[in-house]
Amino acid sequence: MADRTYFEQRNYDNTLKLRQLLKELPYICNDYFMGIENRTSILTRLGYAQDLKIFFHFLTTECAEFVNIKDIRQFGYEQLESVETFHIEMFLNYLTAFEHDGVEYTNTEKTKARKLATIKSFFKYNYNKDRIPADPASKVLSLKLHDKAIIRLEVDEVAKLLDNVESGTGLSPKQLALQKKTRKRDIAILTLFLGTGIRISELVGIDLDDIDFNINGFKITRKGGNQTILYFSDEVAETLKEYISERNSNKELADETALFVSLQNKRITVRAVQNLVKKYAGITTPLKHITPHKLRSTYGTNLYKETNDIYVVAEVLGHKDINTTKKHYAAISDEIKRKAASKVVLRNHEDNE
């Protein structure tokens, strides 16, 4: 364990979680997960397994054709052949709001679309492998997703956010006591988000030796496991150096490789970073519900305005599909186009006078 990187340990833990989850699923799922292993990440497969567990639970509790199956592990290919398109459509409706083991669940249209994609993948695989004679999921229409306004911080809000982290404005006495111990770390984290557009998992996974101040850059592991180098400004470098100097003065961290650590002297967790952002952003812009991903969007917006190059933004943010970038920053593109159009003069009226 000591020799594993953060991402290697995370993949190891998730592999064990998936293995346990597969024991709770029908045996017919094993073949599917082995079949998609080489073209999906462990996080993707874990999500698929969780989605399928909900789907089979729905079939065996809500559909008359399958209620005689008391344990979803008994759901075999014979029963899978009996699943029809309307069962899947009913499932999508069920996902809107349901209760399981005394807990109430709701799903957004985006989450429902992801679960539908899981089911489509599962049925398509089994159909292509001749496990079932037809693919009922292929007849289910894709869900229409409504675009939501992209929330991001304005320039003055960015400055106010960092000022509040620096001063502790708006914090309770208990929070202020903690802020004195974590102030430089918190500033460094928020500055890195806002200055590089890094993902939260990428930030948590940074080790001390991933940073090179000679080039103002650092190595990160992207989604899917690919590594790349991101660069940062002198302003970001300054906050990082101040935090690292303080961090390295703690002798208890001599054997800890992580850049960002908790008060327990361990690598900071994703949840802790989420709570950190929520705490300071709630004070600064209480109506905007700012998350680490919104800070990423803020950086992407500023980068696009500076470069007017969607391909640069896509590369820096690590988007595999340029259309993802275009979708998120189309509104800014229109704004730039409008400004450009206003600069084109067809007739100079002053010359005509």
Side-chain angles (χ1 to χ4, degrees):
M1 178 175 176
D3 294 333
R4 297 190 188 115
T5 67
Y6 165 76
F7 294 98
E8 288 170 342
Q9 185 62 43
R10 187 184 68 173
N11 289 342
Y12 176 82
D13 293 339
N14 285 329
T15 297
L16 296 185
K17 288 180 183 178
L18 176 59
R19 195 170 296 163
Q20 180 58 42
L21 196 50
L22 284 174
K23 294 178 181 178
E24 303 170 22
L25 288 171
Y27 75 91
I28 59 177
C29 292
N30 287 285
D31 181 48
Y32 167 68
F33 281 99
M34 285 191 292
I36 67 171
E37 182 171 357
N38 292 331
R39 52 188 175 87
T40 56
S41 69
I42 181 60
L43 282 174
T44 296
R45 295 195 299 279
L46 187 59
Y48 282 4
Q50 292 164 341
D51 292 343
L52 288 174
K53 184 177 180 181
I54 297 172
F55 178 60
F56 284 114
H57 170 77
F58 162 77
L59 292 176
T60 55
T61 58
E62 302 293 330
C63 301
E65 298 89 336
F66 309 109
V67 291
N68 62 313
I69 302 175
K70 302 305 179 183
D71 187 338
I72 66 171
R73 290 176 296 180
Q74 299 171 353
F75 204 103
Y77 289 117
E78 181 181 350
Q79 289 77 24
L80 197 64
E81 288 184 24
S82 300
V83 176
E84 298 186 30
T85 300
F86 76 88
H87 289 124
I88 300 172
E89 293 171 339
M90 287 171 58
F91 174 62
L92 294 176
N93 180 264
Y94 169 81
L95 287 173
T96 302
F98 66 97
E99 184 176 314
H100 180 55
D101 290 338
V103 180
E104 295 180 351
Y105 297 91
T106 59
N107 288 275
T108 63
E109 57 184 22
K110 184 177 180 180
T111 305
K112 289 165 73 172
R114 193 204 72 217
K115 294 185 187 303
L116 175 59
T118 298
I119 294 169
K120 282 178 173 287
S121 171
F122 179 70
F123 276 95
K124 182 179 181 180
Y125 176 86
N126 282 289
Y127 174 68
N128 289 340
K129 288 287 186 177
D130 296 323
R131 304 286 192 263
I132 51 178
D135 178 3
S138 65
K139 299 178 182 179
V140 180
L141 297 177
S142 298
L143 299 179
K144 179 177 176 57
L145 300 180
H146 296 85
D147 292 333
K148 291 184 178 180
I150 296 176
I151 299 174
R152 55 179 71 89
L153 292 175
E154 301 300 330
V155 174
D156 61 323
E157 292 172 331
V158 169
K160 184 179 178 182
L161 173 64
L162 295 176
D163 286 344
N164 286 341
V165 180
E166 181 82 39
S167 65
T169 300
L171 297 179
S172 67
K174 183 177 180 180
Q175 289 174 325
L176 271 175
L178 291 175
Q179 186 259 1
K180 290 179 181 179
K181 301 176 182 178
T182 66
R183 182 173 60 86
K184 289 186 178 180
R185 182 203 67 183
D186 296 350
I187 292 173
I189 287 175
L190 288 168
T191 301
L192 202 59
F193 273 132
L194 291 163
T196 67
I198 193 173
R199 292 184 177 93
I200 187 169
S201 61
E202 296 165 350
L203 179 140
V204 169
I206 300 174
D207 288 335
L208 273 175
D209 59 9
D210 289 332
I211 301 177
D212 184 352
F213 287 111
N214 291 320
I215 62 170
N216 271 11
F218 60 101
K219 179 177 65 178
I220 62 167
T221 301
R222 291 289 197 192
K223 290 169 64 176
N226 295 327
Q227 291 189 330
T228 190
I229 294 176
L230 290 185
Y231 298 95
F232 47 80
S233 66
D234 289 338
E235 182 180 8
V236 174
E238 188 62 30
T239 61
L240 284 175
K241 287 177 180 178
E242 288 184 12
Y243 163 65
I244 290 174
S245 176
E246 179 183 77
R247 178 205 180 285
N248 289 347
S249 67
N250 185 349
K251 295 180 180 179
E252 294 184 27
L253 293 173
D255 297 325
E256 177 56 65
T257 61
L259 171 62
F260 294 113
V261 294
S262 66
L263 289 174
Q264 289 72 44
N265 295 325
K266 297 180 180 179
R267 186 184 298 273
I268 198 168
T269 64
V270 167
R271 177 61 61 85
V273 175
Q274 290 171 333
N275 290 338
L276 181 157
V277 172
K278 180 180 180 181
K279 175 176 67 177
Y280 290 114
I283 295 170
T284 307
T285 55
L287 299 181
K288 281 196 172 182
H289 184 59
I290 296 298
T291 64
H293 193 75
K294 301 295 192 305
L295 299 182
R296 177 172 158 83
S297 295
T298 299
Y299 173 77
T301 299
N302 293 334
L303 182 62
Y304 188 37
K305 285 182 176 179
E306 288 296 322
T307 64
N308 194 21
D309 191 330
I310 202 71
Y311 292 95
V312 169
V313 177
E315 176 68 22
V316 173
L317 294 183
H319 289 164
K320 292 183 179 179
D321 185 352
I322 190 68
N323 290 319
T324 301
T325 320
K326 288 179 178 178
K327 176 182 177 182
H328 281 78
Y329 301 101
I332 308 168
S333 179
D334 287 342
E335 179 185 332
I336 293 173
K337 289 176 185 176
R338 284 195 296 271
K339 287 182 178 180
S342 67
K343 296 182 183 298
V344 177
V345 178
L346 300 181
R347 290 191 295 174
N348 191 326
H349 292 287
E350 292 182 1
D351 291 343
N352 295 331
E353 292 177 355

